[in-house]
């Protein structure tokens, strides 16, 4: 059975996003043009404009899909991994699940967030996108860490615990250790889990 028009459109969209991801990570925001992405994806430049509208919109969708891991319109805190953290009764396991979930996201999105961070000061639209991403990450850290405080006594205030979680599980920490210093993602996950457990739990 031949693919439907919708299936072909989804496949084209995915091919464009995959090509854009590689180019943005390798070349950065400024040195990646829509024409470059079209050439790498094997489509006409006009196809990208028709599908996404602008280079900024293309990058935003790429970031959203990379954070989520799919094209489903489901908020992070409604994702299965986050629900598992929230419903886990044991404090140590709660933290282990939180770090594992953060690692899965960062494995996909940390290189793109570097591109976004580096361009955010020069491109106003990307500055807004960077601020929104920070706000979203802070919301996730606050929700999951506040849930931890309801399960186990913390060694710090909840506010300090949120700060520690937000920083430790952020793209800058992950990027320095994994992307710059060559740690494996599993080594980062083991270290971050141990660090949070030692810092937050008795």
């Amino acid at each position: 059975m031949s693919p439907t028009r919708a299936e072909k459109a989804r496949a084209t969209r995915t091919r464009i996003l995959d090509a854009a991801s590689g180019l943005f990570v390798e070349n950065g925001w400024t040195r990646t043009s829509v024409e470059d992405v079209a050439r790498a994806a094997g489509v006409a430049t006009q196809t990208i404009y028709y599908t996404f509208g602008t280079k900024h919109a293309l990058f935003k969708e790429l970031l959203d899909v990379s954070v989520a891991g799919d094209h489903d319109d489901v908020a992070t805190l409604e994702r299965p991994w986050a629900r598992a953290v929230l419903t886990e009764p044991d404090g140590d396991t709660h933290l282990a699940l939180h770090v594992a979930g953060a690692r899965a996201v960062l494995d996909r999105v940390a290189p793109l967030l570097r591109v976004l961070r580096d361009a955010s000061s020069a491109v106003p639209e990307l500055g807004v996108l960077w601020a929104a991403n920070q706000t979203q990450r802070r919301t996730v850290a606050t929700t999951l860490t506040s849930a931890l405080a309801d399960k186990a006594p913390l060694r710090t205030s909840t506010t300090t615990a949120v700060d520690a979680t937000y920083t430790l599980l952020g793209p800058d920490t992950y990027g320095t250790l994994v992307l710059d210093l060559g740690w494996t993602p599993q080594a980062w996950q083991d270290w971050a889990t141990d660090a949070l457990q030692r810092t937050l739990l008795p």
Side-chain angles (χ1 to χ4, degrees):
M1 184 172 63
S2 61
T4 66
R5 180 175 297 181
E7 289 171 336
K8 289 181 179 179
R10 282 194 297 269
T12 298
R13 197 179 200 96
T14 298
R15 192 164 72 250
I16 293 170
L17 290 171
D18 288 344
S21 179
L23 288 170
F24 279 125
V25 170
E26 181 178 357
N27 300 326
W29 168 264
T30 302
R31 291 186 296 139
T32 299
S33 67
V34 172
E35 291 75 17
D36 293 333
V37 176
R39 191 177 307 112
V43 301
T45 300
Q46 193 57 38
T47 298
I48 295 182
Y49 285 116
Y50 177 80
T51 303
F52 298 95
T54 64
K55 178 181 170 182
H56 168 261
L58 167 63
F59 188 90
K60 183 180 184 304
E61 181 163 334
L62 174 60
L63 188 67
D64 289 343
V65 169
S66 298
V67 169
D70 55 44
H71 294 268
D72 297 338
D73 187 19
V74 179
T76 297
L77 288 170
E78 296 301 321
R79 296 246 159 206
W81 75 265
R83 301 309 304 173
V85 176
L86 288 168
T87 57
E88 169 56 48
D90 178 71
D92 285 303
T93 306
H94 171 115
L95 281 174
L97 291 172
H98 187 176
V99 176
R103 174 208 162 167
V105 174
L106 289 167
D107 284 350
R108 297 187 297 265
V109 80
L112 283 173
L113 285 176
R114 280 194 160 182
V115 175
L116 178 60
R117 180 199 65 194
D118 292 346
S120 62
S121 60
V123 183
E125 289 178 314
L126 296 187
V128 172
L129 189 57
W130 174 247
N133 178 265
Q134 290 180 300
T135 298
Q136 290 163 358
R137 290 193 297 105
R138 183 76 183 185
T139 298
V140 171
T142 298
T143 301
L144 298 186
T145 306
S146 296
L148 175 66
D150 292 334
K151 301 171 186 179
L154 300 183
R155 296 183 63 189
T156 70
S157 68
T158 301
T159 299
T160 299
V162 170
D163 291 343
T165 302
Y166 173 76
T167 301
L168 203 64
L169 303 186
D172 289 337
T173 304
Y174 178 95
T176 297
L177 294 175
V178 176
L179 302 179
D180 295 337
L181 299 179
W183 285 31
T184 66
Q186 185 61 55
W188 175 86
Q189 180 178 332
D190 293 342
W191 168 80
T193 300
D194 181 67
L196 281 177
Q197 289 173 341
R198 289 174 180 271
T199 300
L200 302 185
L201 298 178

